């Protein structure tokens, strides 16, 4: 006869349903290998678990190696978005006895996002930033996914958004928004960043409100990397703002030389 994987799987399944242990092993193995279609971990687990209970050493070995992956697949089928995301991570990284499969991983991440899993939103956002798993680079989509993830209590997303607003990466720099997102992070790093930016944010708010002295001080902080990442361009921007004031018209001339550190002023 001609080879026909679909028909073969049908016969193996019929024999397995009649409690034939070897047929159970074959049915489970073929479901695991995706013979005759896509890989089906739930179907594989069903037959291999029964075969192991029937005394098959081969089935017991596979269950021992892939038991956790089978459990995640069964929970995913039941609608557990967290399990979908964990299974996606395993496929992405080739863990838990699973072969690396980016296509399957992406599909699971998307299902987990649809199910409301914040960590999956974060992961898919990273894919959109980095162009991973076949996802097109899309900063706008990435930012929206990160915002949704942060609102869903994903600390990694909140911290990344804080850094983006602090540095002006992909968004207009806004230190108040940076602190807002850092505060959403429920890990120590979020509190640390809020503490670091506390003085800077006060100056930022006052400078944006037109306080020339705050503009000068903020420029010095950016020039020397005090409490923020050193950014000469941002420092110069605030100094130009300060110099535009009639009351501080000579400011640029004063900072034309090396400006003192705010701690030395």
């Amino acid at each position: 006869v001609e080879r026909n994987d679909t028909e073969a799987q049908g016969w193996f399944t019929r024999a397995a349903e009649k409690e034939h242990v070897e047929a159970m092993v074959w049915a489970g193995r073929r479901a695991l290998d995706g013979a005759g279609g896509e890989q089906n971990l739930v179907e594989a687990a069903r037959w291999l678990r029964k075969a192991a209970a029937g005394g098959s050493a081969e089935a017991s070995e596979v269950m021992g190696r892939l038991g956790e992956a089978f459990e995640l697949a069964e929970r995913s089928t039941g609608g557990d978005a967290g399990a979908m995301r964990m299974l996606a991570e395993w496929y992405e990284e080739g863990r838990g006895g699973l072969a690396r499969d980016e296509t399957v991983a992406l599909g699971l991440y998307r299902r987990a996002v649809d199910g409301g899993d914040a960590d999956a939103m974060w992961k898919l956002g990273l894919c959109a930033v980095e162009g991973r798993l076949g996802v097109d680079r899309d900063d706008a989509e990435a930012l929206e996914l990160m915002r949704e993830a942060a609102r869903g209590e994903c600390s990694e997303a909140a911290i990344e958004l804080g850094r983006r607003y602090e540095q002006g990466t992909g968004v207009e720099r806004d230190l108040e928004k940076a602190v807002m997102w850092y505060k959403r992070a429920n890990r120590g790093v979020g509190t640390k960043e809020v503490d670091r930016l506390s003085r800077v944010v006060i100056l930022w708010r006052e400078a944006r409100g037109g306080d020339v002295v705050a503009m000068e001080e903020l420029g010095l902080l950016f020039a020397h990397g005090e409490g923020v990442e050193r950014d000469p361009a941002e420092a110069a921007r605030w100094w130009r703002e300060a110099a535009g004031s009639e009351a501080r018209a000579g400011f640029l001339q004063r900072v034309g030389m090396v400006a003192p550190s705010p701690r030395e002023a």
Side-chain angles (χ1 to χ4, degrees):
V1 294
E2 293 184 5
R3 176 170 176 160
N4 188 318
D5 286 338
T6 302
E7 187 169 350
Q9 183 67 18
W11 285 111
F12 284 130
T13 300
R14 290 178 197 176
E17 286 168 349
K18 295 184 179 297
E19 306 300 321
H20 190 288
V21 173
E22 280 301 309
M24 292 177 192
V25 175
W26 273 94
R29 279 285 197 182
R30 292 176 70 80
L32 185 61
D33 295 338
E38 296 181 356
Q39 184 185 59
N40 188 328
L41 292 184
V42 174
E43 183 74 358
R46 179 167 78 98
W47 291 121
L48 290 169
R49 191 176 285 121
K50 290 185 71 172
S56 169
E58 181 181 356
S60 295
E61 184 276 327
V62 177
M63 289 301 302
R65 181 162 44 86
L66 291 171
E68 290 182 87
F70 288 153
E71 182 182 346
L72 286 176
E74 289 166 338
R75 285 168 52 195
S76 297
T77 300
D80 186 329
M84 295 174 199
R85 186 248 312 152
M86 290 177 65
L87 195 58
E89 291 171 348
W90 286 15
Y91 271 114
E92 181 182 2
E93 299 167 13
R95 288 194 285 132
L98 298 172
R100 192 167 183 272
D101 191 321
E102 293 187 351
T103 301
V104 173
L106 179 59
L108 284 164
Y109 277 135
R110 284 179 168 155
R111 284 176 56 201
V113 166
D114 291 341
D117 186 83
D119 288 329
M121 295 172 193
W122 160 242
K123 291 279 189 177
L124 206 54
L126 284 180
C127 288
V129 169
E130 300 167 1
R132 284 177 19 222
L133 302 184
V135 176
D136 292 335
R137 291 178 183 271
D138 187 331
D139 285 341
E141 178 70 11
L143 281 168
E144 187 54 38
L145 283 164
M146 288 179 185
R147 289 188 186 103
E148 287 299 313
R151 292 185 188 109
E153 306 304 322
C154 176
S155 291
E156 290 91 342
I159 290 167
E160 176 64 18
L161 283 168
R163 287 176 179 156
R164 283 174 169 263
Y165 276 104
E166 180 184 347
Q167 298 167 5
T169 304
V171 293
E172 183 180 350
R173 177 179 260 138
D174 189 323
L175 298 188
E176 291 185 85
K177 285 185 178 179
V179 168
M180 178 193 76
W181 288 114
Y182 283 141
K183 283 181 176 178
R184 279 184 173 267
N186 57 13
R187 298 183 181 178
V189 66
T191 302
K192 174 183 166 187
E193 302 295 6
V194 170
D195 291 344
R196 174 177 60 78
L197 282 174
S198 58
R199 179 192 175 196
V200 185
V201 167
I202 292 171
L203 289 173
W204 173 269
R205 188 180 299 121
E206 292 173 348
R208 295 182 80 181
D211 188 316
V212 178
V213 175
M215 294 176 192
E216 295 179 10
E217 281 291 303
L218 194 57
L220 291 172
L221 292 178
F222 277 109
H224 292 278
E226 296 284 341
V228 288
E229 185 175 327
R230 187 173 181 273
D231 190 334
E234 185 71 1
R237 184 174 79 82
W238 284 112
W239 287 339
R240 282 194 297 271
E241 288 283 335
S245 167
E246 291 182 8
R248 294 285 181 172
F251 184 65
L252 275 182
Q253 183 178 353
R254 295 203 304 278
V255 297
M257 296 180 289
V258 177
S261 165
R263 292 177 296 187
E264 298 171 354

